[in-house]
Amino acid sequence: AYFEGDSAKLVELLPDTMVAMGKHRADIIRDAQAFVADSGRFLGIRFSDDEFYVRGDVALVFSRYRVDLVRGGKPAPMTGRAIELFEKRNGRWINPSWHLDDSQP
């Protein structure tokens, strides 16, 4: 949804009260729209070294990631570590918070 600039789907997936990387939902939606408007393309994503911790309706995920993008006609890969929080609300998993860093393995 992010890399397609799908605002409606992002509103559905990201709660209004979320914070990720110092940004709120509206900021993230604007960033997604800007990525698409600037002809950004998503090529793929890979996760490794995943660790999942689930307790009731809360899950915490630690992983390494690689996102392959094209920006300005040039490859623009992103790699690093991710920490994501998921919460089950009304029978659906949502993603109210995450943190990414660009640390290399």
Side-chain angles (χ1 to χ4, degrees), residues 7-24:
S7 301
K9 189 65 170 179
L10 287 171
V11 165
E12 179 184 325
L13 295 171
L14 305 174
D16 187 45
T17 57
M18 75 157 307
V19 175
M21 305 292 295
K23 295 185 176 189
H24 297 278

Side-chain angles (χ1 to χ4, degrees), residues 21 64-65 78-83 99-104:
M21 305 292 295
R64 292 195 180 277
Y65 69 90
M78 297 171 25
T79 60
R81 297 178 297 187
I83 302 170
H99 177 80
L100 307 175
D101 70 29
D102 60 1
S103 298
Q104 300 300 315

Side-chain angles (χ1 to χ4, degrees), residues 2-3 35 40-48 63-71 74-82 84 98 100-102 104:
Y2 180 91
F3 294 112
F35 176 78
R41 286 190 303 127
F42 171 76
L43 302 177
I45 189 168
R46 286 178 283 161
F47 293 95
S48 63
S63 61
R64 292 195 180 277
Y65 69 90
R66 178 182 173 97
V67 180
D68 290 307
L69 305 171
V70 174
R71 288 186 164 185
K74 297 179 184 177
M78 297 171 25
T79 60
R81 297 178 297 187
E84 295 192 76
W98 65 78
L100 307 175
D101 70 29
D102 60 1
Q104 300 300 315

